[in-house]
Amino acid sequence: MSKQTRNFPLDALVSLAKQRGFIYQGSEIYGGIAGMFDYGPLGTLLKRNIVDAWVNYFVHGREDMFLIDSAILMNKKVWEAAGHVEEFVDPLVDDLKTNKRYRADHLLEDKGIDPSKMTIDQMTQAFVDNKILSPEGNPVGPVRKFNMMLETKVGAMEDSSAISYLRPETAQGIFVNYKNIVDSFAPKLPFGIAQIGKAFRNEITPRDFIFRLRELEQMEIEYFINPNADWLAIFNTLFEEQKKFLESVGVKADSVHAYEHPDEARSHYSKKTLDWEFDYPFGTKELTGIAYRTNYDLTKHAEFSKTKLTYFDLETNEHIVPHVIEPTFGLDRLVLALLVDAYEEQDLGEGNTRTVLHLQKNMAPYLCAVSPLLKNNPEMVEKAQAVYKTLKVATKGRTIWEDNSNIGKRYRRQDEIGTPYCIVVDHQTLEDNTVTVRDRDTMAQERVAIDELKNYIA
């Protein structure tokens, strides 16, 4: 894995995200809670644009995909069957003086050691051999497994029968609904079931802004195929489709790199796993993943639930258990990737700088901002309001009204939130019904007739 980093500090992006209403620290007025973030108005719009693009690309753009929305809480036997009770773990070490806990693999990585192929015992030995201490400089205990599922109780009882878990992935909601989809729609193999939803992981050391969270959102597909099909060809095609989608929303092609998990580092259910990794400011890390889950999940759920989860193949006149390929996207990580790729601090000369988010038009929270040059000129304001209302309808709400401060500060503010066009009603507008349209990326301005604005923006 490469260790490329961006040439701006993550703190600069974090500051901009808070200041301009993209992302806030969760429970901030109470001191926050690690690994929890709230999306502000602009971050919510950005997320919604990504979700809409994903649904259009992978669901509406295909004829073999079904979109569902399963419950976050499920019967605890789901997680026993899936192997998460035993296998959904991270390596943990304890600071023997402060009792603080840390991800062992992260501490090894920070020392330039690759833990991806190490067993738990080998990690422990690496700490000893390299005399690695905790971030506070204290000795640590042996590496041990830590289950990341967040436990909760359902119902009024307090015994073990009430135990459930906040789902650590959306995939199992798809598998337990596989039979429902087959019974309701009788799809032909291959077909996919897609889902977008929250997942929860009790991360030992959440870090790197919204990259590693305790509450996150996933966009996942379980693609069911005939066990005799050429799974590798389908796998590779879906892997390339992941990259095409990333590029379609504005992730730069040279920002992502393919990475295959070694045998020792794959999840317990996977026969092959690939990631598209992204060059974040803190290093090159996973953005999307794809795994060949074989028939592991359907077989396990059939065994634990005593339910027949086969598929009747009309061509061969036999019941089969489909195999599964899983392309998955971390929505929060994709939000961060888009912000990173779009972020730029420009030197305009003579001590002037501007910060701009070069978000792709289909991702920007707003397509355009409408302003009166002078907000104390009633005729100008009235004309600008008319333009604003027309464009708000034409852009399906993606138009913002802007009249704070002077025009230069308005431009800078819109640059910082990634608005592609600023439209200004000025003195000339009152004479010839044209407006000034200023381009975010080039800062060039041109006159456009009001009647032509909708086509221009489109």
Side-chain angles (χ1 to χ4, degrees), residues 2 17-18 78 109 118 143 179 200 208 213 218 243 280 310 316 364 379 398 415:
S2 63
K18 178 184 178 182
V78 170
E109 288 174 353
M118 291 183 180
V143 179
K179 185 177 185 300
F200 304 83
D208 298 328
L213 298 169
Q218 296 177 319
K243 187 176 184 183
Y280 294 99
T310 57
T316 62
E379 190 177 3
R398 296 180 63 203
D415 289 343

Short mmCIF file of all heavy atoms in Angstrom, two decimals, residues 2 17-18 78 109 118 143 179 200 208 213 218 243 280 310 316 364 379 398 415:
data_model
loop_
_atom_site.label_atom_id
_atom_site.label_comp_id
_atom_site.label_asym_id
_atom_site.label_seq_id
_atom_site.Cartn_x
_atom_site.Cartn_y
_atom_site.Cartn_z
N SER A 2 0.48 2.22 -0.80
CA SER A 2 1.23 3.47 -0.84
C SER A 2 0.87 4.33 0.36
O SER A 2 -0.12 4.11 1.04
CB SER A 2 0.92 4.24 -2.13
OG SER A 2 -0.44 4.61 -2.18
N ALA A 17 -15.42 22.67 6.88
CA ALA A 17 -16.65 21.88 6.95
C ALA A 17 -17.56 22.36 8.07
O ALA A 17 -18.79 22.40 7.92
CB ALA A 17 -16.31 20.41 7.13
N LYS A 18 -16.97 22.74 9.21
CA LYS A 18 -17.78 23.24 10.32
C LYS A 18 -18.27 24.66 10.04
O LYS A 18 -19.46 24.97 10.20
CB LYS A 18 -16.98 23.22 11.61
CG LYS A 18 -17.79 23.78 12.78
CD LYS A 18 -17.01 23.87 14.07
CE LYS A 18 -17.89 24.48 15.16
NZ LYS A 18 -17.19 24.63 16.45
N VAL A 78 -29.34 -13.62 14.01
CA VAL A 78 -28.79 -13.19 12.73
C VAL A 78 -27.28 -13.05 12.83
O VAL A 78 -26.52 -13.50 11.96
CB VAL A 78 -29.42 -11.86 12.27
CG1 VAL A 78 -28.67 -11.28 11.07
CG2 VAL A 78 -30.90 -12.04 11.95
N GLU A 109 1.10 0.39 12.62
CA GLU A 109 1.21 1.17 11.38
C GLU A 109 1.92 2.50 11.62
O GLU A 109 2.73 2.94 10.79
CB GLU A 109 -0.18 1.43 10.80
CG GLU A 109 -0.83 0.20 10.18
CD GLU A 109 -2.27 0.46 9.75
OE1 GLU A 109 -2.78 1.56 10.05
OE2 GLU A 109 -2.86 -0.43 9.12
N MET A 118 -0.46 -10.26 10.00
CA MET A 118 -0.07 -10.78 11.30
C MET A 118 -1.24 -11.42 12.04
O MET A 118 -2.37 -10.94 11.96
CB MET A 118 0.50 -9.66 12.18
CG MET A 118 1.83 -9.10 11.74
SD MET A 118 2.41 -7.84 12.91
CE MET A 118 3.96 -7.37 12.16
N VAL A 143 -1.84 -8.10 22.84
CA VAL A 143 -2.91 -7.80 21.89
C VAL A 143 -4.02 -8.83 22.08
O VAL A 143 -3.75 -10.02 22.26
CB VAL A 143 -2.37 -7.86 20.44
CG1 VAL A 143 -3.50 -7.58 19.45
CG2 VAL A 143 -1.24 -6.86 20.26
N LYS A 179 -35.05 -14.42 0.67
CA LYS A 179 -36.20 -15.28 0.36
C LYS A 179 -37.43 -14.44 0.03
O LYS A 179 -38.21 -14.79 -0.87
CB LYS A 179 -36.50 -16.21 1.54
CG LYS A 179 -37.60 -17.22 1.27
CD LYS A 179 -37.78 -18.16 2.45
CE LYS A 179 -38.82 -19.25 2.13
NZ LYS A 179 -40.15 -18.70 1.81
N PHE A 200 -23.29 0.53 12.80
CA PHE A 200 -22.70 1.01 14.05
C PHE A 200 -21.56 0.09 14.45
O PHE A 200 -21.70 -1.14 14.44
CB PHE A 200 -23.76 1.04 15.16
CG PHE A 200 -24.96 1.88 14.82
CD1 PHE A 200 -25.98 1.35 14.05
CD2 PHE A 200 -25.05 3.19 15.24
CE1 PHE A 200 -27.09 2.11 13.72
CE2 PHE A 200 -26.14 3.96 14.91
CZ PHE A 200 -27.17 3.43 14.15
N ASP A 208 -9.41 10.47 12.36
CA ASP A 208 -9.35 10.98 10.99
C ASP A 208 -10.70 11.49 10.51
O ASP A 208 -11.22 11.11 9.45
CB ASP A 208 -8.81 9.90 10.02
CG ASP A 208 -7.39 9.48 10.37
OD1 ASP A 208 -6.63 10.34 10.86
OD2 ASP A 208 -7.04 8.31 10.15
N LEU A 213 -15.63 5.96 11.98
CA LEU A 213 -16.74 6.41 12.81
C LEU A 213 -17.35 5.27 13.61
O LEU A 213 -17.19 4.10 13.27
CB LEU A 213 -17.83 7.03 11.93
CG LEU A 213 -17.45 8.26 11.12
CD1 LEU A 213 -18.56 8.58 10.11
CD2 LEU A 213 -17.23 9.45 12.04
N GLN A 218 -23.70 3.12 5.01
CA GLN A 218 -23.17 2.28 3.93
C GLN A 218 -24.14 2.24 2.75
O GLN A 218 -25.35 2.38 2.90
CB GLN A 218 -22.97 0.84 4.44
CG GLN A 218 -21.91 0.71 5.53
CD GLN A 218 -21.81 -0.73 6.02
OE1 GLN A 218 -22.81 -1.41 6.20
NE2 GLN A 218 -20.59 -1.19 6.25
N LYS A 243 -15.28 1.90 -9.66
CA LYS A 243 -14.42 3.02 -10.00
C LYS A 243 -15.12 3.99 -10.95
O LYS A 243 -14.99 5.22 -10.81
CB LYS A 243 -13.11 2.53 -10.64
CG LYS A 243 -12.11 3.67 -10.85
CD LYS A 243 -10.78 3.18 -11.37
CE LYS A 243 -9.78 4.33 -11.47
NZ LYS A 243 -8.49 3.90 -12.05
N TYR A 280 -6.14 10.02 1.04
CA TYR A 280 -6.59 11.01 2.01
C TYR A 280 -5.39 11.80 2.53
O TYR A 280 -4.24 11.36 2.37
CB TYR A 280 -7.28 10.32 3.19
CG TYR A 280 -8.58 9.64 2.84
CD1 TYR A 280 -8.63 8.26 2.61
CD2 TYR A 280 -9.77 10.36 2.75
CE1 TYR A 280 -9.83 7.63 2.30
CE2 TYR A 280 -10.97 9.73 2.44
CZ TYR A 280 -10.98 8.37 2.21
OH TYR A 280 -12.17 7.75 1.91
N THR A 310 -32.73 -21.85 -0.76
CA THR A 310 -32.20 -22.22 -2.08
C THR A 310 -32.92 -21.43 -3.17
O THR A 310 -33.87 -20.69 -2.91
CB THR A 310 -32.37 -23.72 -2.33
OG1 THR A 310 -33.75 -24.05 -2.20
CG2 THR A 310 -31.55 -24.54 -1.35
N THR A 316 -31.75 -26.08 -15.16
CA THR A 316 -31.19 -27.37 -14.74
C THR A 316 -32.17 -28.19 -13.91
O THR A 316 -31.87 -29.34 -13.56
CB THR A 316 -29.90 -27.16 -13.93
OG1 THR A 316 -30.21 -26.41 -12.75
CG2 THR A 316 -28.86 -26.42 -14.76
N ALA A 364 -22.53 19.36 -6.01
CA ALA A 364 -22.55 20.60 -5.24
C ALA A 364 -23.91 20.78 -4.55
O ALA A 364 -24.95 20.52 -5.16
CB ALA A 364 -22.28 21.79 -6.16
N GLU A 379 -35.74 48.04 -6.35
CA GLU A 379 -36.01 47.53 -7.69
C GLU A 379 -35.08 46.38 -8.03
O GLU A 379 -35.48 45.37 -8.63
CB GLU A 379 -35.87 48.67 -8.71
CG GLU A 379 -36.36 48.31 -10.10
CD GLU A 379 -36.27 49.48 -11.08
OE1 GLU A 379 -35.78 50.57 -10.67
OE2 GLU A 379 -36.67 49.30 -12.25
N ARG A 398 -32.12 23.68 -5.88
CA ARG A 398 -30.67 23.83 -5.71
C ARG A 398 -30.19 25.24 -6.07
O ARG A 398 -29.16 25.42 -6.70
CB ARG A 398 -29.94 22.77 -6.54
CG ARG A 398 -30.23 21.35 -6.07
CD ARG A 398 -29.51 20.34 -6.90
NE ARG A 398 -28.07 20.47 -6.78
CZ ARG A 398 -27.20 20.03 -7.69
NH1 ARG A 398 -27.64 19.48 -8.81
NH2 ARG A 398 -25.90 20.20 -7.51
N ASP A 415 -17.69 30.22 -3.16
CA ASP A 415 -16.55 29.40 -3.57
C ASP A 415 -16.28 28.31 -2.53
O ASP A 415 -16.00 27.16 -2.86
CB ASP A 415 -15.29 30.25 -3.72
CG ASP A 415 -15.33 31.16 -4.94
OD1 ASP A 415 -16.17 30.92 -5.83
OD2 ASP A 415 -14.52 32.12 -4.99
#
